[in-house]
Amino acid sequence: SQVPGIEFPKEPINTFCNRWLTTPLFRENPTSGPVLRETIRLALEKENIESRPLWKPLHLQPVFHDAPRYVDGTSEELFRIGLCLPSGSQLSADDHGRVCKAVIAAAELR
């Protein structure tokens, strides 16, 4: 919430996410422009923090190039703007703080 343009996927009504995977979305910030997922990923890499884009949609993978598909652009958009951050039961409070600080710093420098 400290950086406009970074949000988490919305929960559907009457549901509650268990947050087993930390996957922020990097959207356009009306005052300072886009927070680009790849910019954040590369900045985290420089800090030795592993992250990766959200899963690549199957229909974009070469093996499924000619397979039937039913798409509306949602999966492509999530892949373009989503990032998987470190998460898990072994992530310490210090680790969590380090990741948060690195994401905020990278987003503010874009």
Side-chain angles (χ1 to χ4, degrees):
S1 66
Q2 294 179 18
V3 181
I6 300 177
E7 63 186 47
F8 286 90
K10 305 280 187 269
E11 293 177 347
I13 296 172
N14 297 321
T15 66
F16 179 75
C17 181
N18 66 8
R19 304 279 187 243
W20 71 274
L21 188 60
T22 306
T23 57
L25 305 175
F26 298 88
R27 297 191 185 274
E28 183 79 20
N29 176 342
T31 57
S32 61
V35 179
L36 300 176
R37 180 216 59 201
E38 192 62 6
T39 301
I40 302 296
R41 190 190 69 74
L42 292 173
L44 292 175
E45 188 175 273
K46 286 181 182 177
E47 296 296 323
N48 200 29
I49 298 172
E50 186 178 358
S51 65
R52 63 173 182 75
L54 286 180
W55 291 280
K56 187 173 188 175
L58 289 177
H59 68 279
L60 296 180
Q61 297 182 27
V63 69
F64 298 109
H65 176 69
D66 294 323
R69 63 196 75 183
Y70 302 94
V71 297
D72 66 0
T74 301
S75 60
E76 295 92 336
E77 178 69 358
L78 290 172
F79 177 64
R80 187 181 70 78
I81 67 173
L83 189 66
C84 293
L85 297 177
S87 57
S89 60
Q90 298 300 311
L91 196 67
S92 72
D94 287 342
D95 293 335
H96 183 263
R98 182 171 166 259
V99 172
C100 289
K101 286 178 186 174
V103 169
I104 291 167
E108 290 175 345
L109 291 175
R110 68 183 180 290

